[in-house]
Amino acid sequence: MSIGRPRSLKWSLVLRIALLQCAMLTLIIVGILGTMLATGLIPHDYEDGTLDVLADAVARDASGKLVLNETPDMTTLRSNVADLWFIIRDKQGQRLQEGTVPATFQPFVGLLDNISDARIDHALGQAAPPAGKIRWTDTAAGNVQIMTGTKGGLSLLRLLGQAPQFFLQGILPLAGLMALATLFATPWVVRGALSGLGHAAAEAERIDIDQRGVQLPLKDVPMEVTPLVKAVNAALARLDKGYERHKRFLTDAAHELRTPVAILNTRLASLPATPERARLLQDAARLSTLTDQLLDLQRLDRQPAAFEKVDLVAIARGVIVDLAPTAFSAGYEMSFEPARETVFATGDRTAIERAITNLVQNAIEHGGRAGKITVGVTAPALIEVRDEGGGVPLGERERIFEPFYRLRPQDHGAGLGLNLVQEIMQLHGGRIEILDGQLSGACFRMTFRALPA
């Protein structure tokens, strides 16, 4: 299932508001025209009713002569206006005439060649509408001059026929101007209305497994989005509680394991020295180490932010002294290579000691039971643990820090040791990386934050 590109809220609003404005503008204008038609305002002032009907009816026959078609509007006009009269002529001199031109208007008939547009009436002054009109107009027969009375009413069909042109020339330009204004105003309005969501998104970026208790702010969040933010906050609270229960379970389990593991070690130590006893002691030691690592993880989770000045050389030397017998019995040589007498950093002494211990134990476990394990301390604040085993493939160097990850199916895995080292380095604001050994094997390098000179 593919996820489409998310829609832009800004452009969705611009499009919908523009369409709404266009529809509302059309309805308003149509409503005004409908009201004027219903109340009789337009027919009272409209003076081109007869002229419009004649213009629609005039045409030419096969020989090119002017003819008047009997359209429905023409039939209605004849029935409504008993004394209908008109003169229709073209520029070639052809003429159609019907009815009797009022005596008052007879003088204008002889002057039609000199009149292009005129409103004529029986009395002095401006009448609305006038008694007669003269106008050149475009028809199906071409451009013709029509002289007629003004007793015809407004044709509703003709009015509707002008709607598309009216829409293109009137409504559409206005709607375009309104849409243009909306285009510039909407982003500003959206930014202001959704500013609270920006703060909530910035707070959401802080959510992490090590950054618990985060709640998204509700300040300035739109009312429509508030239920979603509240639901996310409730989900975060449930996750925090579940994480705490998980942590408490691991801590309690680790504490409960310490006593039976210690009893098991004591009973194994009392058995006669045999190869089976040695393997059982090794397995029990691995179980004891795993228990200690679980407790260390819980202690790190509650680690205070304040660190102290520590000497990395002294810490590494203490670890070598403690683990050298184990390394010798496993078939390794041990080498300690400090570049200086002291190398200082800031951190937790116990956590750093545990990280070095885990790396040396990892080298003992996976170094091939031969060669040399070297611990080096260099400035400004680096600790390296090197072995001469098979090394770590390039593609596995990120995944090896996952809990209980097995490099090979037959391996026992790294348990929580390397994962704990990574947690310790993150706690100290440093990093752990895997390099190639000088001759073979792997080199684990821890980089701490050095004290300023």
Side-chain angles (χ1 to χ4, degrees):
M1 180 179 178
S2 60
I3 300 177
R5 183 180 178 183
R7 293 187 302 171
S8 168
L9 177 61
K10 178 183 74 174
W11 291 112
S12 296
L13 287 175
V14 168
L15 178 61
R16 294 182 183 186
I17 292 175
L19 291 177
L20 178 63
Q21 289 172 341
C22 187
M24 290 299 297
L25 192 61
T26 302
L27 290 176
I28 290 172
I29 294 176
V30 170
I32 293 174
L33 291 176
T35 302
M36 294 177 71
L37 282 172
T39 57
L41 293 177
I42 292 181
H44 176 73
D45 293 328
Y46 192 68
E47 57 192 46
D48 289 337
T50 303
L51 197 146
D52 289 341
V53 173
L54 294 173
D56 289 340
V58 68
R60 293 186 186 274
D61 60 12
S63 61
K65 293 182 179 180
L66 291 176
V67 294
L68 194 67
N69 295 324
E70 194 64 25
T71 63
D73 285 342
M74 193 68 208
T75 303
T76 302
L77 179 65
R78 292 184 190 279
S79 62
N80 292 338
V81 182
D83 56 344
L84 177 66
W85 63 271
F86 60 84
I87 298 173
I88 303 174
R89 57 195 293 271
D90 62 12
K91 295 178 181 180
Q92 289 74 37
Q94 294 188 48
R95 173 184 289 208
L96 288 176
Q97 183 170 351
E98 183 176 320
T100 303
V101 179
T104 309
F105 302 155
Q106 285 292 339
F108 296 97
V109 175
L111 300 174
L112 288 178
D113 289 343
N114 306 107
I115 300 175
S116 61
D117 197 348
R119 301 170 76 250
I120 51 181
D121 207 354
H122 296 288
L124 182 66
Q126 183 176 359
K133 287 201 71 174
I134 302 172
R135 190 179 76 188
W136 284 91
T137 185
D138 291 324
T139 66
N143 192 250
V144 298
Q145 186 183 44
I146 301 177
M147 178 179 179
T148 184
T150 59
K151 293 183 178 181
L154 176 65
S155 171
L156 182 59
L157 291 178
R158 184 177 183 86
L159 180 64
L160 294 177
Q162 297 296 320
Q165 183 178 1
F166 178 69
F167 177 81
L168 292 176
Q169 295 180 354
I171 297 178
L172 196 59
L174 287 175
L177 289 175
M178 296 171 68
L180 190 62
T182 301
L183 176 64
F184 287 101
T186 300
W188 177 74
V189 173
V190 170
R191 272 197 304 271
L194 302 183
S195 60
L197 285 182
H199 300 315
E203 194 67 22
E205 292 180 354
R206 295 179 52 232
I207 298 174
D208 188 74
I209 190 66
D210 296 320
Q211 185 70 34
R212 295 181 298 278
V214 176
Q215 291 282 285
L216 304 184
L218 288 171
K219 183 181 179 182
D220 298 328
V221 172
M223 181 178 61
E224 293 79 5
V225 188
T226 298
L228 174 62
V229 177
K230 288 183 177 179
V232 171
N233 285 337
L236 291 174
R238 291 193 297 271
L239 289 175
D240 286 341
K241 291 179 181 178
Y243 184 83
E244 291 301 325
R245 287 196 299 268
H246 171 71
K247 286 292 185 181
R248 284 197 300 270
F249 169 78
L250 291 179
T251 303
D252 295 342
H255 278 293
E256 291 296 327
L257 283 173
R258 296 188 75 176
T259 300
V261 168
I263 295 173
L264 178 61
N265 279 323
T266 302
R267 291 178 177 176
L268 289 176
S270 64
L271 294 176
T274 61
E276 289 77 9
R277 172 180 173 273
R279 286 194 294 270
L280 288 173
L281 282 172
Q282 187 179 12
D283 292 339
R286 186 179 296 111
L287 182 59
S288 179
T289 299
L290 179 59
T291 303
D292 291 338
Q293 290 171 349
L294 283 172
L295 291 172
D296 285 338
L297 281 174
Q298 306 315 306
R299 190 180 70 85
L300 282 175
D301 193 52
R302 298 186 295 271
Q303 175 70 36
F307 292 138
E308 60 182 359
K309 179 181 177 180
V310 294
D311 182 5
L312 299 181
V313 174
I315 296 175
R317 183 182 290 111
V319 173
I320 295 252
V321 171
D322 291 339
L323 295 182
T326 304
F328 294 152
S329 63
Y332 297 98
E333 298 178 19
M334 288 289 292
S335 176
F336 181 46
E337 301 177 354
R340 291 162 45 177
E341 288 295 326
T342 57
V343 175
F344 293 106
T346 56
D348 179 83
R349 181 182 183 87
T350 303
I352 296 174
E353 187 178 72
R354 168 55 68 184
I356 302 173
T357 299
N358 286 352
L359 290 182
V360 174
Q361 288 177 337
N362 182 74
I364 294 173
E365 182 72 26
H366 302 285
R369 304 277 175 180
K372 182 190 295 185
I373 296 175
T374 304
V375 178
V377 184
T378 58
L382 303 176
I383 298 178
E384 293 184 352
V385 178
R386 300 186 295 271
D387 63 57
E388 297 178 359
V392 181
L394 189 61
E396 305 288 337
R397 293 184 181 181
E398 292 292 332
R399 300 191 61 192
I400 200 173
F401 293 101
E402 297 175 5
F404 305 105
Y405 180 72
R406 295 175 183 268
L407 190 61
R408 290 173 288 273
Q410 67 272 18
D411 289 345
H412 294 293
L416 292 172
L418 294 182
N419 177 256
L420 181 58
V421 174
Q422 188 178 56
E423 294 281 345
I424 292 171
M425 296 311 299
Q426 289 177 353
L427 176 69
H428 285 76
R431 68 180 186 275
I432 174 73
E433 53 190 333
I434 305 176
L435 309 176
D436 292 323
Q438 294 179 349
L439 299 176
S440 62
C443 175
F444 288 82
R445 174 185 289 174
M446 294 186 293
T447 303
F448 293 89
R449 289 186 295 187
L451 285 175

